Amino acid sequence: MNNTKDNEMTLIFKSKSANESFARATVGAFASQLDPTLDELADIKTAVSEAVTNAIIHGYNNTTGDVHIHCEIKDRTIYIEISDKGCGIKNLAQAMQPLYSGCPEMERSGMGFTVMETFMDSLDVSSTLDKGTTVRMSKTLRA
Amino acid sequence: MDIKLQMKGRTLIAALSGELDHHSAKTVKDMLETAIVNKSAQNMVFDLTNLTFMDSSGIGLMIGRYKLITSIGGKVCIVSKSKTLNRLISMSGVTKLMDIYQSTDDAVKSVGGM
């Protein structure tokens, strides 16, 4: 049976850092139809900000490409997929280690994936060198 | 993102408001680096009271300034009452480097700036 509350949206934008706030605000606005708590909303926006920043800094390495976000709502769960068609991640296990930064000279904390993992219920990252990276996250909101 | 800088003794207080992400962090970093040198600051207080959003870019920014200030023998601490921000700060391990206070007065006292 179709749940009339189920919903989805797609957002495509250029990999410019000015779009980081646009991306998290848009996903936050989409998630707001689930009446999230302030903490839940902050968790989602922070996780999205981390994934989008990774796509811009590491995926496209400050060249310009498209960042795709696809969100789905099923019952009380929001599924968020953020992908780029950038350089990909050579060593994904290393990149996902807390405090590891691929750009130490940029003063990154290396906490991006840890934040996503902590603030969301699930995190799955797939990456192919020279093809790009896709981050899939989900979070079930309290009723 | 807006930043207000104030000196109390040799302590630089940086009051950040708005959203601190990768996009805004570069500007904030440049302003802080300049202020630390020009004002001969020895200690630093990050006042996050009016910050509405921060991701790990803010953590990187604070750790970077921590390294600079401690290299000249100073101390760094944070003012934040936000449960959401404090959770991010705690999970990143920053609280092992700098303490969180409820008011700028307490923070400035803790680094010996008053």
Side-chain angles (χ1 to χ4, degrees):
Chain A
M1 190 177 84
N2 278 341
N3 184 337
T4 54
K5 286 183 179 173
D6 289 357
N7 201 353
E8 61 185 284
M9 72 95 172
T10 300
L11 186 68
I12 303 172
F13 55 91
K14 292 294 173 197
S15 59
K16 293 176 177 291
S17 64
N19 285 330
E20 290 159 7
S21 60
F22 165 70
R24 63 177 176 265
T26 304
V27 175
F30 182 72
S32 68
Q33 62 196 280
L34 290 173
D35 293 324
T37 64
L38 287 176
D39 282 345
E40 287 171 335
L41 192 57
D43 288 353
I44 291 168
K45 287 171 76 173
T46 308
V48 168
S49 197
E50 300 292 353
V52 168
T53 301
N54 276 356
I56 292 170
I57 296 179
H58 303 295
Y60 290 113
N61 196 15
N62 291 320
T63 60
T64 305
D66 287 341
V67 179
H68 291 241
I69 298 184
H70 183 74
C71 295
E72 282 186 45
I73 287 174
K74 287 180 183 167
D75 295 322
R76 297 285 303 160
T77 303
I78 183 164
Y79 299 87
I80 303 168
E81 185 179 290
I82 298 174
S83 58
D84 65 68
K85 291 185 166 39
C87 65
I89 301 170
K90 194 174 177 184
N91 187 337
L92 191 55
Q94 184 184 44
M96 293 185 72
Q97 288 293 314
L99 304 178
Y100 174 81
S101 173
C103 298
E105 74 287 355
M106 286 182 68
E107 210 168 69
R108 307 295 307 159
S109 66
M111 294 298 292
F113 282 124
T114 307
V115 170
M116 291 179 234
E117 211 161 25
T118 306
F119 287 5
M120 301 295 281
D121 294 341
S122 72
L123 171 69
D124 175 69
V125 185
S126 57
S127 190
T128 307
L129 267 185
D130 300 325
K131 296 244 170 118
T133 300
T134 298
V135 172
R136 294 180 187 85
M137 311 181 276
S138 71
K139 189 173 183 73
T140 301
L141 307 189
R142 283 178 291 177
Chain B
M1 162 56 63
D2 186 40
I3 176 165
K4 288 194 173 65
L5 301 172
Q6 183 192 355
M7 288 296 290
K8 277 199 177 176
R10 291 195 65 193
T11 300
L12 176 67
I13 304 168
L16 309 179
S17 56
E19 303 196 339
L20 179 56
D21 60 7
H22 156 248
H23 180 65
S24 54
K26 174 79 172 64
T27 309
V28 177
K29 177 193 168 186
D30 290 346
M31 286 180 75
L32 294 179
E33 298 275 276
T34 305
I36 289 167
V37 173
N38 289 353
K39 296 174 189 295
S40 302
Q42 177 156 16
N43 307 303
M44 189 166 171
V45 172
F46 284 100
D47 182 357
L48 311 182
T49 308
N50 293 313
L51 206 59
T52 53
F53 175 84
M54 183 173 85
D55 62 16
S56 70
S57 305
I59 301 298
L61 177 89
M62 290 196 286
I63 292 174
R65 304 296 72 67
Y66 172 84
K67 287 178 182 169
L68 176 66
I69 291 287
T70 53
S71 73
I72 54 172
K75 293 178 183 172
V76 182
C77 65
I78 299 166
V79 179
S80 172
K81 297 175 193 169
S82 161
K83 198 176 81 177
T84 306
L85 289 187
N86 290 356
R87 196 155 59 98
L88 177 69
I89 292 166
S90 297
M91 65 153 278
S92 69
V94 166
T95 43
K96 290 177 184 162
L97 306 175
M98 37 194 133
D99 293 328
I100 302 178
Y101 293 90
Q102 295 280 307
S103 75
T104 49
D105 281 350
D106 288 345
V108 171
K109 276 178 202 163
S110 80
V111 295
M114 283 169 90

Short mmCIF file of all heavy atoms in Angstrom, two decimals, chain A residues 11-15 50-61 63-69 81-89 113 125-135:
data_model
loop_
_atom_site.label_atom_id
_atom_site.label_comp_id
_atom_site.label_asym_id
_atom_site.label_seq_id
_atom_site.Cartn_x
_atom_site.Cartn_y
_atom_site.Cartn_z
N LEU A 11 18.31 17.19 -5.75
CA LEU A 11 18.91 18.51 -5.80
C LEU A 11 20.26 18.37 -6.50
O LEU A 11 21.04 17.48 -6.17
CB LEU A 11 19.11 19.01 -4.36
CG LEU A 11 19.60 20.41 -4.09
CD1 LEU A 11 18.54 21.43 -4.50
CD2 LEU A 11 19.90 20.58 -2.59
N ILE A 12 20.51 19.21 -7.49
CA ILE A 12 21.81 19.20 -8.18
C ILE A 12 22.36 20.63 -8.16
O ILE A 12 21.64 21.57 -8.49
CB ILE A 12 21.67 18.73 -9.64
CG1 ILE A 12 21.03 17.33 -9.70
CG2 ILE A 12 23.04 18.71 -10.34
CD1 ILE A 12 20.68 16.88 -11.10
N PHE A 13 23.59 20.76 -7.71
CA PHE A 13 24.18 22.10 -7.64
C PHE A 13 25.67 22.03 -7.91
O PHE A 13 26.29 20.95 -7.83
CB PHE A 13 23.89 22.75 -6.26
CG PHE A 13 24.34 21.92 -5.10
CD1 PHE A 13 25.61 22.06 -4.57
CD2 PHE A 13 23.49 20.96 -4.55
CE1 PHE A 13 26.03 21.28 -3.51
CE2 PHE A 13 23.91 20.17 -3.49
CZ PHE A 13 25.18 20.34 -2.96
N LYS A 14 26.26 23.18 -8.22
CA LYS A 14 27.69 23.24 -8.51
C LYS A 14 28.50 23.09 -7.22
O LYS A 14 28.07 23.52 -6.14
CB LYS A 14 28.04 24.58 -9.19
CG LYS A 14 27.46 24.72 -10.59
CD LYS A 14 28.09 23.73 -11.55
CE LYS A 14 27.41 23.75 -12.90
NZ LYS A 14 27.72 22.55 -13.70
N SER A 15 29.69 22.55 -7.36
CA SER A 15 30.54 22.27 -6.19
C SER A 15 31.24 23.53 -5.71
O SER A 15 32.46 23.59 -5.64
CB SER A 15 31.57 21.20 -6.55
OG SER A 15 32.37 21.66 -7.63
N GLU A 50 28.80 17.91 6.12
CA GLU A 50 30.07 17.18 6.05
C GLU A 50 30.22 16.48 4.69
O GLU A 50 31.29 16.54 4.07
CB GLU A 50 30.14 16.11 7.16
CG GLU A 50 30.05 16.64 8.58
CD GLU A 50 31.25 17.47 9.02
OE1 GLU A 50 32.24 17.53 8.25
OE2 GLU A 50 31.19 18.06 10.10
N ALA A 51 29.17 15.81 4.24
CA ALA A 51 29.25 15.06 2.98
C ALA A 51 29.42 16.01 1.79
O ALA A 51 30.21 15.74 0.88
CB ALA A 51 28.01 14.18 2.81
N VAL A 52 28.70 17.12 1.81
CA VAL A 52 28.79 18.08 0.71
C VAL A 52 30.18 18.73 0.70
O VAL A 52 30.79 18.91 -0.36
CB VAL A 52 27.66 19.15 0.83
CG1 VAL A 52 27.91 20.31 -0.13
CG2 VAL A 52 26.31 18.51 0.55
N THR A 53 30.69 19.06 1.88
CA THR A 53 32.03 19.65 1.96
C THR A 53 33.07 18.68 1.42
O THR A 53 33.98 19.06 0.67
CB THR A 53 32.36 20.04 3.41
OG1 THR A 53 31.38 20.96 3.86
CG2 THR A 53 33.73 20.69 3.52
N ASN A 54 32.95 17.40 1.77
CA ASN A 54 33.87 16.38 1.24
C ASN A 54 33.83 16.35 -0.28
O ASN A 54 34.86 16.25 -0.95
CB ASN A 54 33.51 14.99 1.78
CG ASN A 54 34.11 14.72 3.14
OD1 ASN A 54 34.86 15.54 3.66
ND2 ASN A 54 33.77 13.59 3.73
N ALA A 55 32.61 16.39 -0.84
CA ALA A 55 32.46 16.35 -2.31
C ALA A 55 33.17 17.54 -2.95
O ALA A 55 33.85 17.40 -3.96
CB ALA A 55 30.98 16.34 -2.69
N ILE A 56 33.02 18.71 -2.32
CA ILE A 56 33.60 19.93 -2.89
C ILE A 56 35.14 19.94 -2.73
O ILE A 56 35.86 20.18 -3.69
CB ILE A 56 32.98 21.18 -2.22
CG1 ILE A 56 31.50 21.28 -2.61
CG2 ILE A 56 33.74 22.44 -2.58
CD1 ILE A 56 30.72 22.32 -1.85
N ILE A 57 35.60 19.64 -1.53
CA ILE A 57 37.04 19.74 -1.26
C ILE A 57 37.81 18.56 -1.86
O ILE A 57 38.81 18.74 -2.56
CB ILE A 57 37.33 19.76 0.26
CG1 ILE A 57 36.74 20.99 0.90
CG2 ILE A 57 38.84 19.73 0.50
CD1 ILE A 57 36.99 21.03 2.40
N HIS A 58 37.34 17.35 -1.56
CA HIS A 58 38.10 16.15 -1.94
C HIS A 58 37.66 15.61 -3.30
O HIS A 58 38.49 15.26 -4.13
CB HIS A 58 37.96 15.07 -0.88
CG HIS A 58 38.39 15.54 0.49
ND1 HIS A 58 39.68 15.88 0.78
CD2 HIS A 58 37.68 15.74 1.64
CE1 HIS A 58 39.77 16.27 2.05
NE2 HIS A 58 38.57 16.19 2.58
N GLY A 59 36.34 15.53 -3.51
CA GLY A 59 35.83 14.96 -4.75
C GLY A 59 36.29 15.77 -5.95
O GLY A 59 36.92 15.25 -6.88
N TYR A 60 35.97 17.05 -5.92
CA TYR A 60 36.31 17.90 -7.07
C TYR A 60 37.61 18.68 -6.84
O TYR A 60 38.05 19.40 -7.73
CB TYR A 60 35.15 18.84 -7.37
CG TYR A 60 33.97 18.11 -7.94
CD1 TYR A 60 32.77 18.00 -7.23
CD2 TYR A 60 34.05 17.50 -9.19
CE1 TYR A 60 31.69 17.31 -7.75
CE2 TYR A 60 32.97 16.81 -9.72
CZ TYR A 60 31.79 16.72 -8.99
OH TYR A 60 30.74 16.03 -9.50
N ASN A 61 38.16 18.57 -5.62
CA ASN A 61 39.45 19.22 -5.34
C ASN A 61 39.45 20.67 -5.82
O ASN A 61 40.39 21.14 -6.45
CB ASN A 61 40.57 18.41 -6.01
CG ASN A 61 41.93 18.78 -5.46
OD1 ASN A 61 42.01 19.41 -4.41
ND2 ASN A 61 42.97 18.43 -6.18
N THR A 63 37.91 21.97 -8.20
CA THR A 63 37.46 22.23 -9.57
C THR A 63 35.94 22.24 -9.50
O THR A 63 35.37 21.95 -8.45
CB THR A 63 37.93 21.11 -10.53
OG1 THR A 63 37.37 19.87 -10.07
CG2 THR A 63 39.44 21.01 -10.57
N THR A 64 35.27 22.56 -10.58
CA THR A 64 33.81 22.64 -10.50
C THR A 64 33.15 21.45 -11.18
O THR A 64 33.49 21.10 -12.31
CB THR A 64 33.31 23.95 -11.15
OG1 THR A 64 33.99 25.04 -10.53
CG2 THR A 64 31.81 24.13 -10.95
N GLY A 65 32.23 20.84 -10.45
CA GLY A 65 31.43 19.75 -11.00
C GLY A 65 30.08 19.78 -10.31
O GLY A 65 29.80 20.69 -9.52
N ASP A 66 29.24 18.81 -10.61
CA ASP A 66 27.92 18.77 -9.99
C ASP A 66 27.91 17.88 -8.75
O ASP A 66 28.49 16.80 -8.76
CB ASP A 66 26.88 18.23 -10.98
CG ASP A 66 26.55 19.23 -12.07
OD1 ASP A 66 26.82 20.44 -11.87
OD2 ASP A 66 26.03 18.80 -13.12
N VAL A 67 27.24 18.36 -7.72
CA VAL A 67 26.96 17.53 -6.54
C VAL A 67 25.48 17.17 -6.59
O VAL A 67 24.64 18.05 -6.79
CB VAL A 67 27.29 18.29 -5.23
CG1 VAL A 67 26.98 17.41 -4.02
CG2 VAL A 67 28.74 18.74 -5.21
N HIS A 68 25.20 15.88 -6.47
CA HIS A 68 23.81 15.40 -6.51
C HIS A 68 23.37 14.99 -5.11
O HIS A 68 24.10 14.28 -4.42
CB HIS A 68 23.69 14.16 -7.42
CG HIS A 68 23.89 14.46 -8.87
ND1 HIS A 68 22.93 14.23 -9.82
CD2 HIS A 68 24.95 14.98 -9.52
CE1 HIS A 68 23.39 14.60 -11.00
NE2 HIS A 68 24.62 15.05 -10.85
N ILE A 69 22.18 15.42 -4.74
CA ILE A 69 21.59 14.94 -3.49
C ILE A 69 20.22 14.36 -3.82
O ILE A 69 19.42 15.00 -4.51
CB ILE A 69 21.41 16.08 -2.45
CG1 ILE A 69 22.76 16.68 -2.07
CG2 ILE A 69 20.70 15.55 -1.20
CD1 ILE A 69 22.69 17.76 -0.99
N GLU A 81 21.19 10.50 -0.10
CA GLU A 81 22.32 10.05 -0.94
C GLU A 81 23.00 11.28 -1.53
O GLU A 81 22.34 12.11 -2.15
CB GLU A 81 21.80 9.15 -2.06
CG GLU A 81 22.90 8.54 -2.90
CD GLU A 81 22.34 7.63 -3.98
OE1 GLU A 81 21.82 6.55 -3.64
OE2 GLU A 81 22.39 8.01 -5.16
N ILE A 82 24.29 11.42 -1.28
CA ILE A 82 25.04 12.58 -1.77
C ILE A 82 26.19 12.06 -2.63
O ILE A 82 27.01 11.26 -2.15
CB ILE A 82 25.57 13.42 -0.59
CG1 ILE A 82 24.37 13.94 0.22
CG2 ILE A 82 26.44 14.59 -1.09
CD1 ILE A 82 24.73 14.68 1.49
N SER A 83 26.23 12.45 -3.89
CA SER A 83 27.26 11.89 -4.77
C SER A 83 27.94 12.97 -5.61
O SER A 83 27.37 14.02 -5.90
CB SER A 83 26.65 10.81 -5.66
OG SER A 83 25.59 11.34 -6.43
N ASP A 84 29.18 12.65 -5.94
CA ASP A 84 29.93 13.51 -6.86
C ASP A 84 30.56 12.63 -7.93
O ASP A 84 30.64 11.41 -7.78
CB ASP A 84 31.01 14.31 -6.10
CG ASP A 84 32.10 13.42 -5.52
OD1 ASP A 84 32.87 12.85 -6.30
OD2 ASP A 84 32.18 13.30 -4.28
N LYS A 85 30.96 13.25 -9.01
CA LYS A 85 31.66 12.52 -10.08
C LYS A 85 33.10 13.00 -10.14
O LYS A 85 33.65 13.26 -11.21
CB LYS A 85 30.93 12.74 -11.42
CG LYS A 85 29.57 12.07 -11.47
CD LYS A 85 28.93 12.20 -12.84
CE LYS A 85 27.74 11.28 -13.04
NZ LYS A 85 26.87 11.10 -11.89
N GLY A 86 33.70 13.14 -8.97
CA GLY A 86 35.06 13.66 -8.86
C GLY A 86 36.11 12.57 -8.89
O GLY A 86 35.92 11.51 -9.51
N CYS A 87 37.19 12.79 -8.15
CA CYS A 87 38.38 11.94 -8.27
C CYS A 87 38.25 10.60 -7.54
O CYS A 87 39.06 9.70 -7.75
CB CYS A 87 39.61 12.69 -7.78
SG CYS A 87 39.53 13.07 -6.02
N GLY A 88 37.25 10.48 -6.65
CA GLY A 88 37.12 9.23 -5.89
C GLY A 88 38.13 9.17 -4.75
O GLY A 88 39.00 10.04 -4.61
N ILE A 89 37.97 8.15 -3.91
CA ILE A 89 38.85 8.02 -2.73
C ILE A 89 39.72 6.78 -2.92
O ILE A 89 39.21 5.68 -3.14
CB ILE A 89 38.00 7.88 -1.44
CG1 ILE A 89 37.10 9.11 -1.28
CG2 ILE A 89 38.91 7.71 -0.22
CD1 ILE A 89 36.05 8.96 -0.19
N PHE A 113 33.61 11.97 8.34
CA PHE A 113 32.89 10.69 8.31
C PHE A 113 32.44 10.28 9.72
O PHE A 113 31.38 9.68 9.89
CB PHE A 113 33.76 9.59 7.69
CG PHE A 113 33.83 9.66 6.19
CD1 PHE A 113 35.05 9.75 5.53
CD2 PHE A 113 32.67 9.64 5.43
CE1 PHE A 113 35.11 9.81 4.15
CE2 PHE A 113 32.73 9.71 4.03
CZ PHE A 113 33.96 9.79 3.39
N VAL A 125 29.49 4.29 2.36
CA VAL A 125 30.24 5.09 1.39
C VAL A 125 30.80 4.17 0.32
O VAL A 125 31.40 3.14 0.63
CB VAL A 125 31.42 5.83 2.09
CG1 VAL A 125 32.12 6.77 1.10
CG2 VAL A 125 30.92 6.64 3.29
N SER A 126 30.58 4.53 -0.93
CA SER A 126 31.22 3.78 -2.01
C SER A 126 31.96 4.77 -2.91
O SER A 126 31.51 5.90 -3.10
CB SER A 126 30.19 2.98 -2.81
OG SER A 126 29.20 3.84 -3.31
N SER A 127 33.11 4.34 -3.40
CA SER A 127 33.93 5.27 -4.17
C SER A 127 34.73 4.52 -5.22
O SER A 127 35.20 3.41 -4.97
CB SER A 127 34.87 6.02 -3.22
OG SER A 127 35.52 7.07 -3.92
N THR A 128 34.86 5.10 -6.40
CA THR A 128 35.68 4.52 -7.46
C THR A 128 36.62 5.61 -7.96
O THR A 128 36.17 6.72 -8.26
CB THR A 128 34.79 4.04 -8.64
OG1 THR A 128 33.78 3.18 -8.13
CG2 THR A 128 35.62 3.31 -9.68
N LEU A 129 37.91 5.27 -8.01
CA LEU A 129 38.91 6.25 -8.44
C LEU A 129 38.54 6.82 -9.81
O LEU A 129 38.19 6.09 -10.74
CB LEU A 129 40.30 5.61 -8.51
CG LEU A 129 41.18 5.73 -7.26
CD1 LEU A 129 42.55 5.14 -7.56
CD2 LEU A 129 41.30 7.17 -6.78
N ASP A 130 38.61 8.12 -9.92
CA ASP A 130 38.33 8.88 -11.16
C ASP A 130 36.87 8.82 -11.59
O ASP A 130 36.52 9.31 -12.67
CB ASP A 130 39.24 8.41 -12.32
CG ASP A 130 40.71 8.63 -12.00
OD1 ASP A 130 41.03 9.64 -11.33
OD2 ASP A 130 41.53 7.79 -12.38
N LYS A 131 36.02 8.18 -10.79
CA LYS A 131 34.59 8.13 -11.16
C LYS A 131 33.74 8.89 -10.16
O LYS A 131 32.69 9.42 -10.50
CB LYS A 131 34.12 6.67 -11.23
CG LYS A 131 34.82 5.88 -12.33
CD LYS A 131 33.84 5.43 -13.37
CE LYS A 131 34.54 4.85 -14.57
NZ LYS A 131 34.25 3.48 -14.83
N GLY A 132 34.16 8.87 -8.89
CA GLY A 132 33.39 9.63 -7.91
C GLY A 132 33.05 8.85 -6.65
O GLY A 132 33.44 7.70 -6.49
N THR A 133 32.32 9.54 -5.78
CA THR A 133 32.01 8.99 -4.46
C THR A 133 30.53 9.19 -4.17
O THR A 133 29.94 10.21 -4.52
CB THR A 133 32.85 9.72 -3.38
OG1 THR A 133 34.23 9.52 -3.67
CG2 THR A 133 32.53 9.22 -1.98
N THR A 134 29.93 8.17 -3.54
CA THR A 134 28.54 8.27 -3.13
C THR A 134 28.43 7.95 -1.64
O THR A 134 28.95 6.93 -1.18
CB THR A 134 27.64 7.30 -3.92
OG1 THR A 134 27.70 7.65 -5.30
CG2 THR A 134 26.20 7.37 -3.47
N VAL A 135 27.79 8.86 -0.91
CA VAL A 135 27.56 8.68 0.52
C VAL A 135 26.06 8.45 0.72
O VAL A 135 25.24 9.24 0.24
CB VAL A 135 27.99 9.94 1.31
CG1 VAL A 135 27.58 9.85 2.77
CG2 VAL A 135 29.49 10.16 1.19
#
